[in-house]
Amino acid sequence: LFLVPYCGWAPVLNALASVPAGGTPAAALENLDREALRQLGHAKAREVNPQFEKVAAKITARDPGLLDHLTETAYGAVYGRAGLDLKTRELLAVTLLAVSGHEPQLKYHLRGALHTGASPAEIREVLVQTHLYAGWPAALAGLAALDAISGGGK
């Protein structure tokens, strides 16, 4: 489900079809109401990137309901799940955003990956591996974005 905001439902449903049925780490979230998900989402978003409030203000200026949707679904219902730590979730976000070519969000989540404990070397390795599945253009764009936020490449 973490992939939905980045690549849509179709690829996620196709991937889930190949996974055996069973318990999910989402069980703890099933009893939360929307306000609780929103609060959890805001907390997770701030854990990922302390600049979230600036992003939240921009989103609210465009569409106040969109911020609620983002915090409830992406950060509350997905980032709030057990099963992966925030560093791993951010490395996944970096990979998916590099592949999809959304540079502003990629840079935001590159900062998030660094903030949640990923080293620049780990991020670089994730982006290099991206070329195997999505091609060199995606990997090179991701590496360029990493260099842009970190002050240069090695």
Side-chain angles (χ1 to χ4, degrees), residues 38-52:
R38 198 173 306 126
Q39 289 176 8
L40 174 63
H42 275 284
K44 289 293 180 186
R46 285 189 298 272
E47 273 185 77
V48 166
N49 193 321
Q51 298 300 311
F52 177 73

Side-chain angles (χ1 to χ4, degrees), residues 24-35:
T24 105
L29 298 174
E30 290 175 359
N31 295 324
L32 292 179
D33 62 21
R34 289 186 66 199
E35 181 58 31

Side-chain angles (χ1 to χ4, degrees), residues 105-136:
Q105 293 79 14
L106 171 59
K107 287 180 177 179
Y108 179 85
H109 285 280
L110 282 164
R111 289 181 185 96
L114 291 166
H115 189 260
T116 57
S119 70
E122 288 173 310
I123 296 169
R124 192 167 297 283
E125 284 305 311
V126 165
L127 290 167
V128 167
Q129 185 165 335
T130 300
H131 93 276
L132 296 172
Y133 304 98
W136 279 110

Side-chain angles (χ1 to χ4, degrees), residues 81-95:
R81 289 169 58 105
L84 293 175
D85 61 20
L86 287 178
K87 173 184 162 182
T88 304
R89 290 185 188 281
E90 282 301 285
L91 289 171
L92 284 165
V94 162
T95 302

Side-chain angles (χ1 to χ4, degrees), residues 38-39 41-47 49-72 75 105 108-109:
R38 198 173 306 126
Q39 289 176 8
H42 275 284
K44 289 293 180 186
R46 285 189 298 272
E47 273 185 77
N49 193 321
Q51 298 300 311
F52 177 73
E53 297 307 323
K54 288 182 181 179
V55 172
K58 289 178 183 177
I59 292 170
T60 300
R62 290 182 175 96
D63 183 341
L66 191 56
L67 179 63
D68 289 344
H69 183 69
L70 173 68
T71 55
E72 289 170 28
Y75 287 105
Q105 293 79 14
Y108 179 85
H109 285 280

